[in-house]
Amino acid sequence: MTSSTAAPETPRGSLLGTLTIVPWSSVPTTETPRLPFLTVYSLGDGAGGPEAGERAMRAHLEKIGLPVTGELVELTQEARAAVTLLVEAEQAVLTLPFLQVQCPVPASWQDAAYRNGSVRLICLTRPWPHVAPGEAVAPEQLRAFLTDDDLRSASSHCLVPVTRLRR
């Protein structure tokens, strides 16, 4: 079970509406380690409704060079100016030109992020109004939503390098 976190309020009249982030991870097996994920989506409550929000999210992602194809893009340390991820003290701080949000993450998620050196970021263009910020998201509910083929092809997937505070 994981919880969703809302980004700080967007300006009144924003097409994106309420943006939400959910940290989650895969279940490790003997062959594959735990993989950390962050999923960003809109509730579809922006000005113009869900369709306008979907178009706006797609435009924002494409403007910063994140393809909305469902294909995984690896962002390197040099080519990631538009997307940064700080992970420290069981908190993840994700920054995109149109979003900055801090959310709590479990220790196992943080450990996996450090071990992998990156986190898979999934930005959905399709709104998901069924999970409001602060609500728990059951693994089955998340899996059912994210495994939809149409949703996958209409989202951006990238590996974002993890940064830490210097000590």
Side-chain angles (χ1 to χ4, degrees):
M1 188 79 56
T2 187
S3 292
S4 59
T5 302
E9 284 198 37
T10 53
R12 187 175 296 285
S14 165
L15 293 175
L16 292 173
T18 306
L19 294 178
T20 305
I21 185 168
V22 177
W24 57 282
S25 59
S26 64
V27 177
T29 66
T30 55
E31 293 85 34
T32 59
R34 179 180 306 275
L35 300 175
F37 292 80
L38 286 175
T39 299
V40 175
Y41 61 92
S42 170
L43 295 182
D45 58 354
E51 294 80 18
E54 188 170 345
R55 288 189 302 275
M57 180 66 91
R58 178 180 294 275
H60 280 298
L61 293 170
E62 290 174 346
K63 182 177 180 180
I64 63 172
L66 295 179
V68 181
T69 61
E71 298 298 317
L72 183 63
V73 174
E74 187 169 351
L75 303 179
T76 64
Q77 292 291 344
E78 296 77 37
R80 64 171 175 80
V83 181
T84 61
L85 178 63
L86 172 68
V87 179
E88 198 71 43
E90 296 183 12
Q91 296 287 312
V93 181
L94 176 66
T95 304
L96 299 130
F98 60 93
L99 166 73
Q100 181 174 31
V101 63
Q102 177 176 335
C103 69
V105 295
S108 60
W109 189 97
Q110 177 175 286
D111 293 344
Y114 290 164
R115 190 172 42 260
N116 290 301
S118 62
V119 169
R120 187 165 181 163
L121 174 65
I122 304 171
C123 295
L124 307 176
T125 58
R126 185 189 313 163
W128 193 21
H130 306 295
V131 179
E135 288 184 6
V137 182
E140 307 78 37
Q141 185 180 19
L142 188 64
R143 188 177 311 109
F145 184 66
L146 292 177
T147 56
D148 178 273
D149 287 337
D150 290 335
L151 176 74
R152 179 174 171 74
S153 64
S155 59
S156 179
H157 294 248
C158 59
L159 285 177
V160 180
V162 171
T163 59
R164 297 178 71 174
L165 296 175
R166 297 185 196 269
R167 295 175 197 228

